[in-house]
Amino acid sequence: MDFAYAALVEFAAHSTAEREYQEESPMRIWPPDEAHASRPAHTRPDRQKPVRLLLINPRSPDSFWSFRWATDHILVHERAPNPPLGLATLAGLCPDHWTVEIVDECIEELPSEPVADIIGICGMGVQHPRQRELLTYYRQKGYYTVAGGSFASLCPERLEGLADTVVAGEAEYIWQQFCDDYEDGCATPLYIERGSVVLSDVPVPRFDLLQLDRYGTASLQFSRGCPYRCDFCDIIVMFGRKPRTKTPEQIGRELDALRAHGANSAFFVDDNLIGNKKLAKELLRYLIDYQKRHDYPFEFGTEASLNLAQDREMMELFRNAGFGWVFLGIETPDVESLKAAGKTQNTTMDLLEAVRTIYSYGIDVYAGFIVGFDNDTAEAFDRQYRFIVDAGIQVAMVGLLTAMPRTQLYERLEREGRLRLDIMPGDNTRAQTNVVPASMSYETMIASYKALYRRLFSDEGIAQRIRNKMRYLRRPNAIAPRKPLLTQLRLLWRTLAHGIAPGGPRRWWRFLSTLRCPPRLWPIVITDWVRGLSMRDYAERYLGETTP
Ligand code: SF4
């Protein structure tokens, strides 16, 4: 049976398999029963023999997020945007006498025969095929294998039989339980977290195990969970709707560790940093103080809900804490689609004004968009194009509506018989989706989606967005250039030689048109060209030709 067919069969059988797997597998559930709760963790004197754990982050398929053209031609030392923070956190949870190594296939080769007792392989939806391959490979070689990550958390049954142990859910408590059981020789095939982790229990991630200089930015996490109820969102399925946070002091310790390892930019990976506004403001005040005390060592970025634009105090705090950019889930300018998807928080404001207000605080905006809502006809693509261009958003991640397992959307479409079971959900930036659209044919949707990208990443599409952004982002918050002058000149030269020149006189002309702004904005203009050309390169390779 080939892999695609196996995946299809497995996918179709999802609901039943999930139930049977969880009913039949010997497993540990957290919180544990009383007998297990009384077991002291990692305290017995016989726990002296070192256990060697290798943690692997499988390579991700190429996507808009990989910015491959930029890492191949411009930022040649950086191999991936972000390090595998989850694995560094997991490493921090291991007993002291374990030795842990992290290998990230996004930046380096995997060892074929590593010196390890356990191999743990994580994965998001996009990494699932590779995660399966690696689990199979290392298990056949006789290693004890453990599968985890967000996809294993959403549907652990899809990894049944591929790993000796599957860890589903937040790992902080169940991982320690697994470590104990492994050393006692009684690890079970499945560990499930059914409660929720108190984030003050999370240790400082083992940043020392990551090659931080190989990534675009370091990462850390303040909160999990989001109070909203967007029906397509799997974050609220995994982390719940009550945001939980670390303490500001914990974040301070993580920043200390990042500074010690040379990081000068940090991405808060929270899906919505302002999910609990009061606690977010406390964090931001702490960060302002931290930056002052240490002479502004970091530029930050994060994800937040769009109501950030309605809270001037919050935006002021973002600016003063050194946030250079924020990723917003805008999704669509169509109010009816937003309402139908349960994203009502975006319907209470003028979206364009909201983006421009955030720019006015010096914060750059990246954003996610979705096409293929039930309300969307072929005209929706044009409205999306106009909005993205008017808002000047260069990092515009437009994806087809995708139904992830266990989301409200997935369950509704399953009831309506509108799920395509021949397509695995996961990477919503490819020209395919498991959702059968309601108001246009599937073929029209795919063709319109490709055409939207062709327009967005034409030279004029890139230039127009830069010009529109620069009207509002007058005082960018990106803290003074962090790279030495020579490095900056080298980057500029590479951008001109590999990016602008190959486009001929027309691209030169458009490039020069974007430099008609104060010179202090030029670094952002050039960075946006690099981002735009990177995304164009991806669109050309996977979605067909783009317009010159
Ligand atoms: S705002 Fe974002 S994180 Fe929160 S529920 Fe909606 S999509 Fe999910």
Side-chain angles (χ1 to χ4, degrees):
M1 195 187 308
D2 69 27
F3 172 70
Y5 182 65
L8 170 59
V9 170
E10 176 199 38
F11 191 78
H14 165 59
S15 304
T16 319
E18 179 184 15
R19 206 173 46 247
E20 286 173 359
Y21 178 51
Q22 295 192 15
E23 277 169 6
E24 290 169 12
S25 296
M27 65 175 168
R28 289 260 198 266
I29 294 175
W30 194 275
D33 55 34
E34 273 182 26
H36 285 113
S38 63
R39 287 162 50 112
H42 317 316
T43 53
R44 285 199 292 281
D46 56 333
R47 294 252 166 92
Q48 296 304 328
K49 187 170 171 276
V51 175
R52 296 159 304 183
L53 169 68
L54 172 65
L55 295 171
I56 293 177
N57 183 39
R59 68 169 174 255
S60 304
D62 201 7
S63 76
F64 283 112
W65 283 116
S66 34
F67 291 100
R68 201 174 99 189
W69 180 84
T71 54
D72 284 351
H73 297 284
I74 312 295
L75 305 158
V76 288
H77 187 67
E78 293 174 10
R79 298 315 307 159
N82 308 114
L85 178 65
L87 294 185
T89 305
L90 201 66
L93 292 162
C94 292
D96 291 343
H97 61 283
W98 285 33
T99 55
V100 188
E101 188 186 350
I102 295 176
V103 178
D104 182 359
E105 202 185 11
C106 299
I107 64 164
E108 60 196 316
E109 294 287 321
L110 295 182
S112 56
E113 295 193 354
V115 179
D117 301 305
I118 308 174
I119 298 187
I121 303 174
C122 72
M124 300 181 292
V126 290
Q127 294 166 300
H128 181 60
R130 184 62 178 158
Q131 185 184 25
R132 294 176 68 101
E133 278 174 13
L134 294 176
L135 286 167
T136 305
Y137 173 80
Y138 285 115
R139 201 169 184 220
Q140 278 172 355
K141 287 197 163 257
Y143 293 97
Y144 191 100
T145 54
V146 180
S150 61
F151 200 71
S153 298
L154 277 177
C155 25
E157 69 286 353
R158 295 196 195 180
L159 291 147
E160 183 184 7
L162 285 169
D164 294 291
T165 288
V166 178
V167 177
E170 295 174 71
E172 276 78 4
Y173 304 145
I174 47 174
W175 181 252
Q176 295 186 18
Q177 178 72 64
F178 164 76
C179 295
D180 285 347
D181 289 351
Y182 177 83
E183 292 198 57
D184 288 347
C186 61
T188 61
L190 180 61
Y191 288 75
I192 296 186
E193 171 64 67
R194 292 237 194 267
S196 60
V197 166
V198 176
L199 294 199
S200 54
D201 290 343
V202 181
V204 174
R206 290 283 307 273
F207 295 120
D208 58 306
L209 299 178
L210 302 171
Q211 300 176 55
L212 288 176
D213 61 333
R214 307 294 307 278
Y215 299 93
T217 176
S219 44
L220 73 170
Q221 184 181 48
F222 172 61
S223 68
R224 293 179 195 162
C226 174
Y228 296 111
R229 42 175 94 231
C230 310
D231 71 353
F232 51 81
C233 179
D234 56 352
I235 299 303
I236 46 181
V237 176
M238 283 188 287
F239 296 136
R241 291 191 45 236
K242 184 162 184 236
R244 291 162 285 135
T245 65
K246 294 178 183 169
T247 63
E249 291 71 26
Q250 267 178 292
I251 294 298
R253 288 193 287 276
E254 296 192 19
L255 292 174
D256 288 345
L258 285 173
R259 259 187 325 126
H261 292 95
N264 59 15
S265 70
F267 168 37
F268 280 89
V269 300
D270 309 43
D271 297 290
N272 183 3
L273 187 81
I274 63 170
N276 181 324
K277 284 187 166 193
K278 181 170 168 287
L279 295 179
K281 286 179 183 175
E282 277 174 26
L283 169 73
L284 292 167
R285 288 191 191 98
Y286 178 89
L287 291 178
I288 292 167
D289 182 54
Y290 186 96
Q291 294 269 50
K292 270 190 206 146
R293 275 189 284 124
H294 298 284
D295 198 21
Y296 294 88
F298 289 106
E299 180 186 330
F300 297 119
T302 193
E303 301 179 47
S305 45
L306 194 53
N307 57 343
L308 169 66
Q310 293 172 315
D311 190 331
R312 294 198 171 269
E313 184 191 10
M314 186 80 82
M315 286 185 289
E316 192 70 40
L317 291 169
F318 263 68
R319 171 164 62 191
N320 294 338
F323 278 76
W325 59 271
V326 62
F327 184 96
L328 305 169
I330 294 177
E331 322 308 2
T332 171
D334 189 314
V335 174
E336 291 312 311
S337 293
L338 288 170
K339 281 185 187 160
K343 194 142 195 155
T344 47
Q345 69 273 24
N346 283 16
T347 64
T348 59
M349 65 193 103
D350 179 315
L351 297 181
L352 201 53
E353 273 308 309
V355 172
R356 289 172 177 170
T357 303
I358 294 172
Y359 284 152
S360 74
Y361 282 79
I363 302 164
D364 198 356
V365 170
Y366 310 164
F369 297 88
I370 295 176
V371 283
F373 287 113
D374 285 4
N375 213 34
D376 283 354
T377 59
E379 286 72 50
F381 294 83
D382 196 49
R383 286 198 294 277
Q384 287 276 22
Y385 174 78
R386 281 269 46 98
F387 178 86
I388 294 167
V389 168
D390 289 348
I393 298 172
Q394 195 67 245
V395 181
M397 301 294 184
V398 189
L400 291 162
L401 182 69
T402 299
M404 292 301 286
R406 295 177 57 203
T407 57
Q408 293 172 56
L409 176 70
Y410 188 97
E411 284 164 11
R412 174 170 69 82
L413 294 181
E414 193 172 44
R415 283 195 303 277
E416 294 173 6
R418 288 177 49 212
L419 281 177
R420 282 192 58 164
L421 298 179
D422 57 329
I423 292 174
M424 291 282 283
D427 181 1
N428 67 351
T429 60
R430 296 292 169 97
Q432 61 175 30
T433 171
N434 63 345
V435 174
V436 177
S439 304
M440 62 189 135
S441 71
Y442 188 85
E443 291 69 29
T444 302
M445 180 174 71
I446 298 299
S448 306
Y449 177 65
K450 290 182 176 180
L452 172 61
Y453 266 118
R454 277 199 290 278
R455 293 173 77 192
L456 278 176
F457 294 108
S458 65
D459 289 346
E460 182 53 19
I462 295 172
Q464 230 183 326
R465 281 180 285 159
I466 294 174
R467 290 193 297 266
N468 286 345
K469 181 197 296 189
M470 291 310 153
R471 287 194 193 105
Y472 297 92
L473 187 71
R474 306 301 294 176
R475 302 210 165 273
N477 200 27
I479 304 168
R482 295 178 171 282
K483 294 185 177 17
L485 183 63
L486 194 60
T487 308
Q488 290 186 55
L489 290 174
R490 232 182 260 135
L491 294 180
L492 174 61
W493 167 249
R494 287 196 201 119
T495 305
L496 298 179
H498 298 289
I500 306 301
R506 285 184 181 198
R507 190 173 298 166
W508 274 111
W509 177 248
R510 289 187 171 109
F511 174 70
L512 292 173
S513 79
T514 57
L515 291 177
R516 283 188 220 124
C517 58
R520 68 172 182 277
L521 298 175
W522 289 357
I524 295 209
V525 170
I526 290 159
T527 306
D528 264 9
W529 272 99
V530 172
R531 290 172 179 145
L533 291 171
S534 270
M535 294 173 79
R536 174 195 174 98
D537 170 72
Y538 174 84
E540 280 174 351
R541 281 184 291 115
Y542 291 100
L543 305 178
E545 291 297 306
T546 48
T547 313

